[in-house]
Amino acid sequence: MEVMSRMLNVLLGLLTALSVVGNVYAESDASYPEGWESWPVVKESMNLPADTVLPPDTSLFIQESVRAYAWINEGRGSPLTIRVNPNKLEQYKTHGPYTDGPTVVAVSEVEGIIWVTEHIGGLALYGSYDRQGQDISSRHPSLEPSFCASCHTTYKDICINGTCAEPVLATYTDK
């Protein structure tokens, strides 16, 4: 019994240490852009509900997006608004190349998540914030910058220079 108790204490200690390290590690790479609320809306889309059945020919990008964000709003989905830095509207129309600074925000309207794409030296950086500008990238694995970068670099036919061009609603409106 004493051995089990010690093993449990060691396990709990390791889990606590890992959660602290995990929270420290997951920081946004992109900065929070003050004033994003006044940026022009260029797209409206949706984080789809967890029980969404996608058409068989849905792109892998959309399939991965639905799977990654199924937790949002307790699985009920959320409207998603895409806003572009007004100084980068022309660059956005051609998907870059982009000048330095914050480029795009995607806002989960119900959950209040602000996903930020920023460009520095031609490289896209990502971050996740709440509406008050607090970094929330450690709140869920799909909010971590490395997760964002993995999709934005994997699906190069849809995500060009760090910004993605396939709104999820098109999956339903084009049918």
Side-chain angles (χ1 to χ4, degrees):
M1 196 58 111
E2 190 175 332
V3 171
M4 286 293 275
S5 177
R6 275 192 248 155
M7 287 176 60
L8 183 59
N9 285 337
V10 168
L11 181 59
L12 288 174
L14 283 172
L15 288 174
T16 301
L18 287 174
S19 70
V20 169
V21 169
N23 286 339
V24 170
Y25 179 75
E27 287 185 0
S28 291
D29 294 330
S31 57
Y32 179 79
E34 296 292 337
W36 64 265
E37 302 92 337
S38 66
W39 292 3
V41 173
V42 295
K43 287 186 212 172
E44 291 181 345
S45 190
M46 181 123 188
N47 291 120
L48 293 174
D51 62 356
T52 299
V53 177
L54 295 169
D57 62 341
T58 302
S59 73
L60 288 175
F61 175 76
I62 294 299
Q63 291 177 46
E64 290 297 320
S65 294
V66 170
R67 184 179 10 243
Y69 301 113
W71 61 272
I72 289 178
N73 191 24
E74 298 177 358
R76 293 187 301 261
S78 172
L80 186 68
T81 304
I82 313 299
R83 295 175 175 267
V84 175
N85 183 328
N87 298 326
K88 296 189 178 189
L89 275 173
E90 291 305 312
Q91 297 168 27
Y92 182 79
K93 289 177 184 176
T94 59
H95 287 285
Y98 293 102
T99 54
D100 288 355
T103 304
V104 177
V105 295
V107 183
S108 176
E109 297 296 345
V110 172
E111 196 76 19
I113 299 168
I114 314 298
W115 286 279
V116 179
T117 302
E118 178 175 14
H119 287 82
I120 304 290
L123 180 66
L125 304 175
Y126 304 98
S128 301
Y129 297 89
D130 64 16
R131 288 185 180 273
Q132 291 73 43
Q134 298 300 308
D135 190 316
I136 59 168
S137 56
S138 63
R139 185 169 129 193
H140 190 273
S142 65
L143 299 176
E144 294 180 10
S146 60
F147 185 89
C148 300
S150 69
C151 276
H152 284 240
T153 57
T154 297
Y155 301 103
K156 291 190 181 289
D157 57 329
I158 293 169
C159 300
I160 302 166
N161 289 321
T163 59
C164 303
E166 187 178 36
V168 72
L169 293 181
T171 303
Y172 294 95
T173 57
D174 293 346
K175 303 286 179 207

